[in-house]
């Protein structure tokens, strides 16, 4: 995460700053080599805790060094947590709280998350709950975290009952999407991140779909201008939805209108159930791709979605290398898991579906016949 320099700006163009409005405004910066921006986001804090997975401990030390050198009195602590979803437990959160207590963390201090979506979710929750809320800056290191977890203020941990059922809304004070960090990301992880990007195309921005459908998938790499545009467009979709409905209070769905922030959960109801069944052995973006194909099939049977748009789901997700079929879990097990989803109301299952590209709505209480037929179509 080397410092931004003139050569880099010439090669990649200037950083893009996407502003998130609302009660607690902040900026999302997209660019290459953004380390020098972290000092400004830390501001006048006396203490900084960098929360990172074990695999990124060396990078965390790299990030910490210039912060310490910038101000003698600044104390930086690196808190190492497990990789992936194993970090998102009450036990790990408690370890972080205890460490903050030992360091004498006050309300003017800052948590920095450095890692993928799970680290971002956990670190955000630790910041939200310590002293009822301290500042957090997200430095996502995966494509998935850049377009999903780092923006919008949702934080959370998992329990035996399901994914992200314990959490808080806590907006960051800044997000640095440093695309140079994606250079070392395994290809499968980059592809998984594209699951959330393509989803944003279906719910809000058809230009994302056009870019995916007309770009050679092999050209979607960290230094690619097209990948950068996809990242910026996906973040812009999330910002638009989140600013209008931060706490998922709902859109104008009563009149058949936009479902608000819930639109971002397109494909996620089945995706979370699959992740639980697979003990989180499947990547989130892969599960989302399967979930989006499922709700497209469901909307085709229970609503107005054309067969052409259903097929477009298969081709768009499949083109970038994501799965579009699934048959590993019994239908009954997945339905049971979906009933404890955060979007369920009582015993009524609710799904975000499409009437067409960029026209999301909520479908409440679909028939078991339609649900089963949509799942069978996945096979």
């Amino acid at each position: 995460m080397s410092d931004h320099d003139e050569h880099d700006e010439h090669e990649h163009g200037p950083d893009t700053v996407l502003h998130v409005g609302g009660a607690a405004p902040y900026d999302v910066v997209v660019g290459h080599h953004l380390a020098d921006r972290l000092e400004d986001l830390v501001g006048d804090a006396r203490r900084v805790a960098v929360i990172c997975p074990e695999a990124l401990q060396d990078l965390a030390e790299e990030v910490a060094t210039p912060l310490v050198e910038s101000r003698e009195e600044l104390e930086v602590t690196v808190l190492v947590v497990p990789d992936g979803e194993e970090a998102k437990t009450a036990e790990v959160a408690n370890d972080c709280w205890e460490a903050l207590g030992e360091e004498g963390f006050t309300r003017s201090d800052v948590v920095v998350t450095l890692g993928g979506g799970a680290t971002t979710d956990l670190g955000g929750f630790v910041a939200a709950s310590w002293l009822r809320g301290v500042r957090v800056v997200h430095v996502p290191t995966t494509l998935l975290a850049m377009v999903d977890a780092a923006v919008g203020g949702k934080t959370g941990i998992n329990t035996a009952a399901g994914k992200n059922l314990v959490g808080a809304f806590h907006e960051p004070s800044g997000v640095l999407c440093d695309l140079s960090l994606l250079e070392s990301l395994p290809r499968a992880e980059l592809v998984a991140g594209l699951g959330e990007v393509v989803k944003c195309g279906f719910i809000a921005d058809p230009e994302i779909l056009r870019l995916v459908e007309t770009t050679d998938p092999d050209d979607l790499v960290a230094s690619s201008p097209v990948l950068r545009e996809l990242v910026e467009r996906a973040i812009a979709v999330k910002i638009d939805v989140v600013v209008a409905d931060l706490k998922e209070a709902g859109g104008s769905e009563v009149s058949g209108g936009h479902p608000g922030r819930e639109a971002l959960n397109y494909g996620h109801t089945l995706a979370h159930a699959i992740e639980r069944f697979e003990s989180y052995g499947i990547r989130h973006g892969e599960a989302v791709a399967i979930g989006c194909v499922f709700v497209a099939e469901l909307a085709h049977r229970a609503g107005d979605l054309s067969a052409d748009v259903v097929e477009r789901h298969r081709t768009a997700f499949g083109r970038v290398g994501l799965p579009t079929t699934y048959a590993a879990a019994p239908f009954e097990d997945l339905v049971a898991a979906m009933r404890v989803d955060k979007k369920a109301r009582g015993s009524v299952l609710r799904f975000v579906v499409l009437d067409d590209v960029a026209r999301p709505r909520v479908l409440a209480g679909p028939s078991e016949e339609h649900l089963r037929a949509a799942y069978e179509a996945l096979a």
Side-chain angles (χ1 to χ4, degrees), residues 198-204 209 266 309 312-313 316-317 354 357-358:
V198 175
K199 175 209 77 178
C200 287
F202 278 111
I203 64 170
L209 300 180
Y266 188 60
V309 178
R312 196 177 186 188
H313 280 68
F317 286 108
L354 299 180
V357 173

Side-chain angles (χ1 to χ4, degrees), residues 280-334:
Y280 303 106
I282 185 171
R283 293 177 179 88
H284 178 67
E286 295 168 344
V288 166
I290 295 165
C292 288
V293 174
F294 168 77
V295 283
E297 291 282 1
L298 181 63
H300 179 53
R301 287 162 173 76
D304 300 318
L305 193 65
S306 72
D308 287 349
V309 178
V310 178
E311 186 55 30
R312 196 177 186 188
H313 280 68
R314 285 195 163 83
T315 55
F317 286 108
R319 181 174 172 81
V320 296
L322 287 162
T324 56
T325 60
Y326 185 80
F331 171 73
E332 290 74 16
D333 288 11
L334 293 178

Side-chain angles (χ1 to χ4, degrees), residues 47-51 64 68 75-79 99-100 103 105 112:
R47 296 170 193 82
V48 174
V50 181
I51 297 180
V68 174
E75 296 172 17
V76 183
T77 307
V78 175
L79 303 181
L100 296 184
E103 294 297 327
F105 237 66
V112 173

Side-chain angles (χ1 to χ4, degrees), residues 32-49:
H32 291 262
H33 306 298
L34 303 178
D36 55 339
R37 286 181 173 266
L38 188 57
E39 190 186 331
D40 287 343
L41 289 171
V42 165
D44 58 1
R46 285 288 312 278
R47 296 170 193 82
V48 174

Side-chain angles (χ1 to χ4, degrees), residues 54 65 75 124 183 185 208 272 278 352:
E54 210 168 314
T65 302
E75 296 172 17
E183 287 165 13
L185 194 67
I208 288 176
H272 286 164
E278 300 283 351
V352 177

